[in-house]
Amino acid sequence: MKAIVVSDQAAGTVGMTLTERPEPSASINDVIVQIHASGFVPTELEWPSTWTDRAGRDKTPSIPGHELAGVVTALGYGTTGLSVGQRVFGLADWHRDGTLAEYVAIEARNLAPLPGDVDFTVGASLPISGLTAWQGLFQHGRLQSGQTVLAHGAAGAVGTMVTQLAREAGAHVIGTGRAADRAKALDFGAHEFVDLEKDALEDVGDVDLVFDVIGGDVQKRSAALVRPGGTLVSVVGPVEARPAEGLAVDFVVEADRAELTEIVQRVRNGRLRTNIGDVSTLDHAVAALNPTERRQGKTIIRVRP
Ligand SMILES: NC(=O)c1ccc[n+]([C@@H]2O[C@H](COP(=O)([O-])OP(=O)(O)OC[C@H]3O[C@@H](n4cnc5c(N)ncnc54)[C@H](OP(=O)(O)O)[C@@H]3O)[C@@H](O)[C@H]2O)c1
């Protein structure tokens, strides 16, 4: 099968190559999915799981990409809940070969059915950003209606999902980002916008929940804004700054069929919009994943036309 592989961390995304790899076989509780569309998170090559398996052994050349939408073509021993020919989407295991390929072997529990009226490109754009936003807001952040959320990177892949889901849940959403992100963040539903390059974050006042996708100094200054009993949730590594009288949670998103189903249902009925930028093919994926201009949304690789 055709696949994008990486072998050298120092080379970054420029070092990605399109090559031939053996088709994967299905282990216990796996399915094989013929991939129609794949997502890719720009920081993936910084994650240790891109380079090693769960035992810490080198797994290069490895196939990156962990979001997919496609069709089940085979079931592993003991697999239940999905069937051959079914449209699915979901989140692939961090330590296994990923989704920038024609086929992937993946545990069935990492997938949810993709309704027939949702395009594969849309399906592949949802798993990481949608689940991360959902879990950060509702599971780790325990968001309640009427609370205030500071949504960093609000025009980004995760941030646009955070903004929409928080607003739908009845929160007041303050989005942040670069000056150029203002219109997009407001368009996705932020009530206010803070330009992190110009405005003083401190002027925001107290918030119940900070959703951090940036880290560093922004995280530190945000922790100071969290009200007593509030939460700072971060997805960019171990939390370095803790609210004085609140919680700090860092987490890595997990696959969850019920949550994927909730998310795709919101897309179907217009309550959630995707943030898709460039859509390219596997043959042109290396160029698409190395853009010369600032990305205008999530890049999706359409593996099958
Ligand atoms: N732990 C997890 O489970 C998990 C899950 C998903 C994502 N993540 C991580 O979360 C981060 C965001 O992911 P994403 O897919 O949402 O990325 P993205 O689409 O690039 O969105 C991030 C947004 O934040 C903006 N931003 C970053 N630093 C900024 C700064 N200092 N000032 C103002 N704006 C800034 C970015 O602008 P520029 O593009 O101009 O920098 C971009 O608009 C990544 O580090 C990713 O690895 C973690």
Side-chain angles (χ1 to χ4, degrees):
M1 66 172 184
K2 279 201 240 178
I4 298 291
V5 297
V6 290
S7 316
D8 174 10
Q9 188 165 8
T13 49
V14 184
M16 291 174 152
T17 50
L18 178 65
T19 184
E20 278 292 325
R21 288 291 299 275
E23 281 183 25
S25 54
S27 296
I28 292 175
N29 291 343
D30 272 354
V31 296
I32 300 297
V33 179
Q34 182 180 49
I35 295 172
H36 284 242
S38 167
F40 174 79
V41 175
T43 50
E44 273 190 40
L45 304 198
E46 295 163 23
W47 307 344
S49 54
T50 298
W51 308 100
T52 62
D53 65 15
R54 285 188 184 273
R57 291 177 298 234
D58 182 2
K59 65 163 191 170
T60 56
S62 80
I63 302 173
H66 291 278
E67 300 171 285
L68 73 138
V71 174
V72 174
T73 57
L75 306 182
Y77 175 65
T79 303
T80 60
L82 296 175
S83 44
V84 171
Q86 188 164 9
R87 300 171 98 244
V88 290
F89 75 120
L91 175 60
D93 189 300
W94 307 119
H95 286 278
R96 296 176 78 176
D97 270 339
T99 59
L100 285 169
E102 291 182 292
Y103 294 90
V104 70
I106 178 172
E107 285 185 272
R109 64 179 172 178
N110 290 2
L111 299 167
L114 181 69
D117 57 358
V118 180
D119 188 76
F120 289 115
T121 302
V122 170
S125 75
L126 297 172
I128 291 185
S129 52
L131 288 172
T132 302
W134 188 281
Q135 290 164 19
L137 290 171
F138 305 128
Q139 194 176 326
H140 305 296
R142 298 159 298 130
L143 181 66
Q144 303 289 320
S145 176
Q147 293 189 326
T148 298
V149 176
L150 181 62
H152 284 305
V158 175
T160 47
M161 291 288 160
V162 169
T163 299
Q164 295 178 92
L165 290 172
R167 183 160 176 155
E168 191 196 25
H172 181 80
V173 182
I174 305 167
T176 81
R178 305 189 193 280
D181 296 329
R182 179 182 297 274
K184 185 167 180 181
L186 296 175
D187 184 47
F188 271 90
H191 295 93
E192 302 173 44
F193 182 79
V194 176
D195 173 354
L196 290 175
E197 293 165 326
K198 196 172 110 257
D199 302 334
L201 198 48
E202 288 64 28
D203 291 346
V204 163
D206 290 353
V207 301
D208 298 288
L209 176 58
V210 172
F211 202 119
D212 172 37
V213 301
I214 296 176
D217 188 49
V218 170
Q219 182 190 94
K220 212 169 289 173
R221 287 159 56 211
S222 303
L225 304 177
V226 175
R227 285 197 180 107
T231 309
L232 181 145
V233 169
S234 181
V235 293
V236 286
V239 172
E240 292 168 9
R242 292 176 179 276
E245 296 179 69
L247 283 178
V249 181
D250 54 68
F251 75 101
V252 174
V253 61
E254 293 183 78
D256 186 297
R257 185 177 293 169
E259 291 171 3
L260 285 169
T261 303
E262 288 278 354
I263 290 162
V264 78
Q265 194 54 39
R266 280 168 172 70
V267 171
R268 290 177 86 195
N269 58 28
R271 288 150 70 196
L272 198 58
R273 281 161 54 203
T274 56
N275 179 12
I276 297 172
D278 196 14
V279 179
S280 189
T281 61
L282 201 54
D283 286 344
H284 298 106
V286 176
L289 298 173
N290 287 282
T292 50
E293 289 172 9
R294 191 169 184 236
R295 281 187 308 278
Q296 295 304 316
K298 203 170 169 59
T299 302
I300 299 296
I301 303 304
R302 189 75 198 202
V303 177
R304 285 177 71 79

